[in-house]
Amino acid sequence: MTTTASRPSASDRGPRPTAPGPGFAHLTRLSDDTGLFEHARHAIVRREHGYCTDDVARGLVVTSREPEPTEEVLRLAECYLAFLTHAQDGGGAFRNRLGHDRRWTDAPGLGDWWGRALWGLGTAAARSPAAWIREEALVAFSRGANRRSPAPHAMAFAGLGAVEVLRRHPAHAAAAALLTDAATTIGGPGSDPRWPWPQQGLTYASAALAEVVIAASQLRHGGPPLDDGLRMLAWLRDVQLRDGHLSVVPAGGWRRGAARLRHDQQPIEVAAFADACATAATVTGDPGWEAGVHQAVGWFRGDNDVGTPMWDPATGGGYDGLTPHGPNLNQGAESTLALIATLQHVRRWS
C-alpha cells in the first residue's frame, strides 16, 4: 500500500523542519531481536513482509558509523551482525530474504545483497568501537570478499566495504583485490561529454559507482585515475540539479537518449549522492563537494521538486519516495536508513 500526501501550496508549506543529527528511534521501531523489517505502513512495521539482508546490511553501515553509539545503537549493530553471519554460507555468498517465521525463502547468491553485506561488514570491521564486533565482522567480510559478482552495482557495494577495510587494514589482500575488481567491473567514463557514464543508463544508487572509482584511485596502486571518478560524479551532480536543488533520477531510471522522468524519486539516490560527495571532498580537499552533501540534506528538508520535507519529525522515519503529489508517507527501512546515512554527514559539515 502506497500512501501519499497531497501537494501543498507555497502558502501551506510553512517552515521546514530543521534537519537534526541522525536519530535511531524509528530504526529501533523497525527492528526486533532477529533483524530489521523491510516495510512499514506509515510508521507501523509490516511484519508479514519479513526481513532482507539488503536492509540489515545498510543498518550495520549506519550503526557502525556512529562514533559514540548509545547502548541501543550498539545492540542494533550486534543484532544486524548476527543476522548477516547467519545469512552467509561457507563459501561467502548470502541469502537475502528471511520470513517472519525465521525461514529463508531463497538460496545463497551474489546479488546486490552480497555486495551490501560486505559493505556493512567492512564498515563494522573498520569503525565499530566494540573490538569483538570488529573482529567478527572482519572474519565474515574476508570470507565473502573472495567471491565476485558480474553485476556492477553488487561489485560497487562490495567495493565500498573493501574501502572501509583498507582504511583500517591497508595490507588486507582480499579487500585490495576486491576493490580493484570492483573498479574494473564498473568501468571508467566514456569520451562523450554528454554522457560520460560507463553504462547506457542510470538505475539506482548511481553515485556509489563513482564513489568506488574515486576511492580506488587513492587506495590501489595502479588504480583508475582520480579524474575518472570525479568526472562521473560531477556529471551526475550536474544532471541531478534543478533550479539549485537536488532532483535525483527516479525509480524508473533514465536511459541514454530517452526522456527523463522526475518521479518517483527514492531516498537511496540521495544518500548515495551524499556519501559520494563526502568521499570526493575528503579525497580532493575541494570544499565545492561539500555543497553536494548540503543539497542531499536539503532534499530531505524540503529543497526538492515538490518543496516538501521527506521525513517525519514525530517518528524520525524517512518517507519512502517523492511523488508528484508529495511524499509516500510509508516509512520503511530503506528510506529511513537513507535519511540516517545522509544526516550522519551533518556532524562534519554543519
Side-chain angles (χ1 to χ4, degrees):
M1 175 180 177
T2 298
T3 308
T4 60
S6 60
R7 180 171 180 170
S9 67
S11 60
D12 291 336
R13 290 173 194 165
R16 294 169 182 158
T18 301
F24 290 83
H26 190 55
L27 197 63
T28 300
R29 186 180 295 115
L30 293 175
S31 303
D32 64 5
D33 60 356
T34 295
L36 173 60
F37 288 102
E38 184 175 8
H39 292 135
R41 179 182 292 115
H42 289 188
I44 302 302
V45 171
R46 300 195 69 175
R47 298 178 186 276
E48 69 272 22
H49 292 170
Y51 320 82
C52 69
T53 293
D54 263 327
D55 287 334
V56 173
R58 285 181 281 215
L60 187 57
V61 169
V62 299
T63 53
S64 298
R65 284 179 173 181
E66 287 297 291
E68 297 180 353
T70 64
E71 182 176 339
E72 178 58 26
V73 170
L74 270 178
R75 188 196 68 78
L76 290 175
E78 176 186 353
C79 174
Y80 300 157
L81 175 59
F83 184 102
L84 295 181
T85 57
H86 179 49
Q88 189 177 37
D89 71 4
F94 289 82
R95 298 179 185 270
N96 188 33
R97 298 202 169 274
L98 184 71
H100 189 227
D101 61 0
R102 310 310 197 263
R103 295 183 180 181
W104 294 106
T105 62
D106 61 350
L110 300 172
D112 282 0
W113 58 93
W114 163 80
R116 288 198 176 101
L118 293 187
W119 184 12
L121 293 167
T123 306
R127 300 204 202 186
S128 176
W132 63 270
I133 288 181
R134 293 197 305 272
E135 292 164 4
E136 179 61 29
L138 188 60
V139 169
F141 171 87
S142 300
R143 181 180 297 127
N146 291 314
R147 304 298 300 271
R148 297 293 183 268
S149 171
H153 279 81
M155 288 296 287
F157 300 138
L160 292 175
V163 168
E164 294 283 356
V165 169
L166 288 170
R167 285 173 177 160
R168 188 176 183 96
H169 303 286
H172 196 287
L178 177 58
L179 180 56
T180 296
D181 290 346
T184 300
T185 301
I186 292 166
S191 59
D192 186 348
R194 297 169 297 178
W195 190 276
W197 197 252
Q199 291 84 40
Q200 294 302 300
L202 299 175
T203 52
Y204 57 94
S206 298
L209 280 67
E211 183 180 4
V212 167
V213 176
I214 291 169
S217 74
Q218 301 298 293
L219 294 173
R220 295 299 301 130
H221 294 300
L226 173 60
D227 188 59
D228 280 4
L230 295 177
R231 281 178 57 205
M232 290 166 61
L233 185 58
W235 177 78
L236 189 64
R237 174 197 61 200
D238 292 346
V239 299
Q240 294 191 122
L241 285 179
R242 185 183 187 192
D243 299 329
H245 67 257
L246 202 57
S247 178
V248 295
V249 171
W254 180 31
R255 294 291 299 177
R256 182 177 186 175
R260 178 179 160 195
L261 303 177
R262 295 289 174 184
H263 302 286
D264 295 329
Q265 295 179 29
Q266 301 292 299
I268 185 178
E269 293 300 321
V270 181
F273 182 70
D275 282 354
C277 287
T279 293
T282 299
V283 167
T284 65
D286 181 355
W289 289 109
E290 297 173 20
V293 177
H294 292 302
Q295 287 157 349
V297 173
W299 187 90
F300 282 102
R301 292 186 62 241
D303 295 328
N304 51 51
D305 285 348
V306 182
T308 185
M310 286 300 296
W311 65 290
D312 184 347
T315 66
Y319 293 136
D320 276 0
L322 183 63
T323 80
H325 310 291
N328 174 341
L329 296 176
N330 294 332
Q331 300 165 38
E334 180 180 285
S335 54
T336 296
L337 290 162
L339 170 68
I340 294 171
T342 302
L343 294 182
Q344 285 179 318
H345 295 298
V346 172
R347 279 190 293 255
R348 180 173 179 184
W349 290 297
S350 59

